[in-house]
Amino acid sequence: TLDRRLERQQALALLAFKDRQGQKARAHLRPLVWGQALQILFAVVLIVAASRVWAAWWPVLHLRVAALGLHAYGVLLIVLASQTISLAGRIDYAAPVVGIQKQLAALRRWHVWCGLAVGPVWWLLWMPCAMVAAALAGVDVFARAPGYFASWTVYGLAGLLLTAAAYW
């Protein structure tokens, strides 16, 4: 009887330990999940702004392209952030340590890949953002200064290439 009680107590102590460790791991992932939720919120704002511009300025080709590009980028942000949140939520903290490490490694790989997919694009994406923001205020900045956008595109492409070289 004493052996059974001792085994039960050890099993309960192990379960409590695993539960505490799982709570710690969840707490460490919480900033990631909140950051992804903020990314989704940012993407929704981006989509709404872009939608308003491409609906209002449809006849103006460069604003339509800029707004549709931002709209697509916002949808991509939502998809990638949702998948990240899903991967973080599917981690089984009751699994063996190696299993948890594999799940965390998969989450880390996915998160790094997402950063590489959506981050460097900002070398060029800030220009459509500026165009959409100005169009919301009723101004077509590209029509007023197309030369600036041409030179900024060259700088953006150079920065994008340098970033790709640095990643390589």
Side-chain angles (χ1 to χ4, degrees):
T1 304
L2 187 58
D3 281 343
R4 280 192 307 248
R5 283 185 187 171
L6 186 58
E7 285 176 15
R8 233 180 298 139
Q9 186 175 0
Q10 286 176 341
L12 287 174
L14 180 63
L15 188 61
F17 174 75
K18 283 184 175 182
D19 188 45
R20 282 192 307 273
Q21 294 303 100
Q23 288 175 357
K24 281 184 189 179
R26 277 189 283 279
H28 281 63
L29 287 177
R30 202 167 292 130
L32 173 68
V33 171
W34 279 103
Q36 296 303 300
L38 287 174
Q39 178 176 314
I40 290 172
L41 182 63
F42 170 74
V44 168
V45 170
L46 198 64
I47 289 170
V48 168
S51 299
R52 289 184 61 199
V53 168
W54 63 255
W57 294 78
W58 188 259
V60 183
L61 179 64
H62 56 272
L63 286 177
R64 179 178 40 193
V65 169
L68 287 172
L70 281 183
H71 191 118
Y73 185 77
V75 171
L76 178 67
L77 285 178
I78 290 173
V79 168
L80 296 179
S82 299
Q83 179 64 19
T84 303
I85 291 171
S86 174
L87 284 173
R90 280 190 267 155
I91 294 176
D92 180 15
Y93 298 102
V97 174
V98 174
I100 296 171
Q101 288 175 337
K102 285 181 180 180
Q103 292 170 0
L104 288 172
L107 173 62
R108 186 176 299 115
R109 256 190 322 276
W110 173 258
H111 187 62
V112 168
W113 182 87
C114 291
L116 292 174
V118 299
V121 177
W122 278 99
W123 278 105
L124 297 169
L125 199 62
W126 68 270
M127 289 183 285
C129 280
M131 292 168 65
V132 166
L136 286 172
V139 178
D140 184 359
V141 293
F142 184 81
R144 290 183 179 206
Y148 285 115
F149 283 93
S151 63
W152 290 338
T153 301
V154 171
Y155 296 137
L157 288 173
L160 193 58
L161 289 174
L162 287 172
T163 302
Y167 283 133
W168 182 259

